[in-house]
Amino acid sequence: MGRGLDRRPPGRAGGRRVSVAPAEPPAGRVDLAFQPSGRKVRVPPGVTLFDAASWNGIAIDSTCGGHGTCRKCKVRVVAGDVPPSNLDLRAFDVPEIKDGWRLACRVQVAADLEVDVPPLVTRPKAATVGVGRKVILRPAVQKRLLELEEATLADQRSDVERLLDAMPDLELRVDLHALRTVGPALRSAGHRVTAVVVDDALVAVEPGDTTGRMYALAFDLGTTTVVATLLDLVTGAPVAVQSMLNKQQPFGADVITRISTVMTQPGALDQLRDLAHETLAELSTQVLEEGGVAPHEVYEIALAGNATMTHIALGVDPEPLGMAPFVMATRRWPELRAADLGVPAHAVARAVVFPALGAYVGGDITSGLLASGMDRDSRTRLFIDIGTNCEIVLGSDAGLLATAAPAGPAFEGAAIRCGMRAADGAIEVVRLTPDELSLQVIGDVEPRGLCGSGLVDAVAELVRIGLIDPSGRFVPEDAASEIAPGLAHRLTMVGAERVFVLHEGVYLSQRDVRELQFAKAAISTGWTLLLEDAGIGAGDIQQVLLAGSFGSYLSPSSAVRLGLVPKIPVLRVVSAGNVAGEGAKMALLSERERAGAMALLDEVVYVELSDRPDFNDRFVEQ
């Protein structure tokens, strides 16, 4: 398990990435330990240390977005071998190089590493998200330190007038909460106060100087997993990040099941809403405690989730989403507060909820498109978020086309005989030679089952060496003995079904292969129809972004081999990471980016596949 995998890093010349053998990033997963936080993360090999840290909320100083120009992302590798790049040799002297100092954006991780990350010594003017986008730090929240003169009989201006007159460059409306706090704050602090402004509203007045304490919370509300990131709006840096299973899990593993629950069980909508709020509140408490931040110091939150999860979290009936014609209550949500989602925050903290493009292309995809810059790139790119429901967006000179394909639960481990979620004991990587089987297991423990990335790897490898024929069937025993003599004994029977044994008690069945074929057919039909609508061929695709948690761990070569993505050079297939969470962070860090997210509603054309007469024929072909 986890042995024999080539993890040589790609070569470099003059700070420019040069590809050498192997032609694709090495297989497997890499464990990284970041000090002094002690945070441990697991990422695909080939990503940069800078991206790995950003994805997981670990702040590394940078102003260039990981492009190697600012030379600020200095880290020290304390365990593991990382040869210096040409840029490292110019950024550090010889003793520093020997001591392990490297630029995080130049290190493509190829093996397990322990890295010491220095604290931020400057406040960057730009914040950088994990997908490499540089964001000009301009949040909607701002604070002003004011020193005001006390009222006199000759100057009887009201408290609010005195405050607003001290900020002549702003035209503000005054929130009732601010009106309640202005008087006590002025008199308790000797008229030295901090005004808290959100957009065009004065929302609070705080005694003394609190300008250095300004935070926001970004949520990725997934059907299975929910992620919370605490952001420092002064520096733009993430302070803490936590994730947990959505507490709605007992009501079903997918959105259709939860919609059905609402339809059939009285009171279920309220129960599911409360569970969503409990999940968000618990995660908020965790990151606030980790960051040493009080709830009243959080002035905004942002939430990216699919349409069903968002409807339920806000207590809006999702039933119309579950049946034709798949109608949402709204695409754009009204002005909301954090309290509407059960999140502990400032009394008037606003909630920014991402709009949905369609019933099954929700706010999480809008957020992901924002983070990946799909609307700002001249290249022809395909954005694919693979899950029970697969969302696909094609970006080209013709604009943006989006659709959703019903991939089914195979990628989540459901409907797979030995399937399980991506947890300890799940086989996540499979590599085969005609004589040998190599597995990598999450947690480096005894295999207990097969998760989505392991399923895709297993089938792709069996297809590659010839033990699964082009129709998806296991080959006969005599053919297997000739093709792979060292593996033929693993093809056996469990009951009346042929299986391939991966480990004692864990196997891949013929039915599992069929389930993956159905999922693959739905996804490939989706992007094929989008390409046809845009008048583009598969060879015109310049980049495929695999989004979401599953996409981060899916082997690009396996995805290409099975036809999950167009058959293009494997180096054009990129794992984008948790772009939904990244987009939520961007919306909090930059008013401009937030406006860009809302503008996507008018720029993306949603294509409904279920009513297309050619969908079924194409599905069968695939």
Side-chain angles (χ1 to χ4, degrees):
M1 285 161 280
R3 62 185 181 83
L5 299 180
D6 185 2
R7 289 178 171 170
R8 293 170 290 172
R12 295 194 181 277
R16 181 173 177 269
R17 300 184 183 184
V18 179
S19 177
V20 298
E24 62 176 285
R29 302 291 178 267
V30 174
D31 292 317
L32 303 177
F34 290 95
Q35 303 300 346
S37 67
R39 187 170 182 83
K40 296 181 179 179
V41 303
R42 193 176 181 88
V43 300
V47 305
T48 67
L49 263 180
F50 182 82
D51 284 347
S54 296
W55 288 357
N56 291 279
I58 298 162
I60 294 181
D61 204 355
S62 173
T63 58
C64 73
H67 296 292
T69 57
C70 73
R71 304 188 188 181
K72 292 182 179 293
C73 58
K74 298 177 180 181
V75 298
R76 189 168 69 90
V77 178
V78 296
D81 182 28
V82 177
S85 70
N86 289 344
L87 196 58
D88 289 325
L89 296 175
R90 295 196 291 271
F92 303 104
D93 58 28
V94 173
E96 288 175 324
I97 290 290
K98 289 183 178 179
D99 199 32
W101 286 96
R102 301 290 186 269
L103 295 177
C105 70
R106 299 295 92 185
V107 178
Q108 282 189 306
V109 295
D112 297 347
L113 298 175
E114 183 177 349
V115 182
D116 185 48
V117 179
L120 291 175
V121 294
T122 59
R123 290 183 175 179
K125 293 182 180 179
T128 305
V129 296
V131 288
R133 286 275 312 278
K134 186 164 69 172
V135 177
I136 300 302
L137 186 58
R138 194 171 295 157
V141 182
Q142 60 172 300
K143 285 189 170 185
R144 296 280 185 93
L145 177 62
L146 305 174
E147 297 194 25
L148 307 178
E149 294 182 359
E150 295 187 29
T152 66
L153 288 176
D155 179 8
Q156 293 183 335
R157 285 176 298 164
S158 69
D159 292 336
V160 168
E161 288 172 323
R162 195 174 302 279
L163 202 73
L164 295 181
D165 288 347
M167 298 181 285
D169 58 318
L170 299 178
E171 293 186 10
L172 300 175
R173 55 187 175 87
V174 180
D175 187 272
L176 177 61
H177 180 82
L179 193 58
R180 290 169 175 162
T181 59
V182 60
L186 285 171
R187 289 161 184 81
S188 67
H191 286 69
R192 185 172 187 265
V193 296
T194 299
V196 184
V197 176
V198 179
D199 283 339
D200 64 343
L202 176 68
V203 299
V205 181
E206 299 170 347
D209 183 0
T210 65
T211 54
R213 307 286 294 179
M214 194 165 68
Y215 299 91
L217 285 166
F219 294 99
D220 174 10
L221 177 61
T223 311
T224 303
T225 306
V226 184
V227 183
T229 304
L230 176 65
L231 292 171
D232 185 334
L233 295 180
V234 177
T235 65
V239 178
V241 60
Q242 291 289 343
S243 64
M244 66 183 295
L245 284 177
N246 191 322
K247 289 180 179 287
Q248 297 173 348
Q249 283 292 304
F251 287 84
D254 56 70
V255 295
I256 296 300
T257 307
R258 293 185 200 172
I259 292 172
S260 298
T261 301
V262 172
M263 294 169 61
T264 58
Q265 296 184 22
L269 176 58
D270 289 342
Q271 285 182 280
L272 287 168
R273 180 201 59 206
D274 292 345
L275 289 171
H277 290 189
E278 287 177 24
T279 306
L280 296 172
E282 189 170 321
L283 280 172
S284 300
T285 300
Q286 290 176 8
V287 294
L288 290 173
E289 288 179 353
E290 183 180 338
V293 173
H296 73 267
E297 295 176 306
V298 174
Y299 300 97
E300 265 198 329
I301 72 169
L303 183 139
N306 65 53
T308 300
M309 290 299 96
T310 305
H311 275 63
I312 291 175
L314 291 169
V316 178
D317 184 10
E319 182 176 341
L321 298 171
M323 61 187 72
F326 313 114
V327 177
M328 295 179 287
T330 182
R331 297 174 71 201
R332 301 176 190 264
W333 295 96
E335 185 169 314
L336 301 166
R337 291 192 171 179
D340 295 322
L341 289 160
V343 174
H346 192 276
V348 295
R350 185 171 55 182
V352 179
V353 179
F354 276 82
L357 302 170
Y360 289 96
V361 181
D364 52 343
I365 303 305
T366 307
S367 181
L369 296 181
L370 172 70
S372 54
M374 286 287 289
D375 60 328
R376 308 179 189 190
D377 199 318
S378 60
R379 292 175 295 173
T380 300
R381 305 165 80 198
L382 199 59
F383 176 102
I384 304 178
D385 191 326
I386 298 177
T388 302
N389 186 65
C390 176
E391 296 92 355
I392 307 166
V393 182
L394 173 66
S396 69
D397 290 338
L400 294 169
L401 296 176
T403 193
F411 298 117
E412 303 289 343
I416 302 301
R417 291 290 176 87
C418 296
M420 63 178 292
R421 296 195 187 281
D424 285 356
I427 297 171
E428 61 176 346
V429 176
V430 179
R431 293 291 176 263
L432 300 177
T433 68
D435 297 307
E436 191 175 35
L437 166 72
S438 176
L439 305 176
Q440 191 161 358
V441 182
I442 297 176
D444 294 323
V445 296
E446 199 72 10
R448 296 192 296 112
L450 192 64
C451 67
S453 62
L455 169 68
V456 172
D457 259 9
V459 175
E461 286 289 277
L462 288 165
V463 169
R464 182 181 62 81
I465 67 171
L467 291 181
I468 290 180
D469 67 23
S471 74
R473 284 189 170 87
F474 289 121
V475 299
E477 292 180 11
D478 54 347
S481 297
E482 293 181 12
I483 294 168
L487 301 176
H489 69 283
R490 293 181 176 273
L491 276 173
T492 184
M493 302 291 291
V494 171
E497 188 174 29
R498 290 194 79 198
V499 303
F500 181 84
V501 177
L502 295 164
H503 187 79
E504 184 178 354
V506 182
Y507 55 83
L508 178 77
S509 73
Q510 184 66 71
R511 195 189 77 172
D512 297 339
V513 178
R514 291 287 180 244
E515 289 287 342
L516 183 58
Q517 283 181 292
F518 279 117
K520 171 261 175 184
I523 295 168
S524 56
T525 300
W527 55 254
T528 297
L529 291 175
L530 290 188
L531 291 175
E532 290 182 2
D533 285 359
I536 295 172
D540 297 322
I541 299 294
Q542 295 169 280
Q543 187 184 59
V544 174
L545 291 172
L546 295 176
S549 56
F550 179 74
S552 297
Y553 296 100
L554 180 62
S555 163
S557 60
S558 295
V560 171
R561 184 172 294 119
L562 293 183
L564 286 170
V565 302
K567 293 193 180 300
I568 60 175
V570 72
L571 290 177
R572 295 188 196 173
V573 183
V574 179
S575 294
N578 177 25
V579 284
E582 297 297 336
K585 289 190 278 186
M586 291 171 67
L588 293 169
L589 296 175
S590 168
E591 289 183 284
R592 179 181 176 183
E593 298 294 343
R594 184 180 306 179
M598 300 306 166
L600 282 169
L601 282 190
D602 301 319
E603 297 175 18
V604 180
V605 176
Y606 179 69
V607 178
E608 179 60 58
L609 295 182
S610 60
D611 67 344
R612 290 185 62 137
D614 54 349
F615 178 78
N616 285 336
D617 291 340
R618 294 303 180 85
F619 179 82
V620 173
E621 286 175 12
Q622 295 289 349

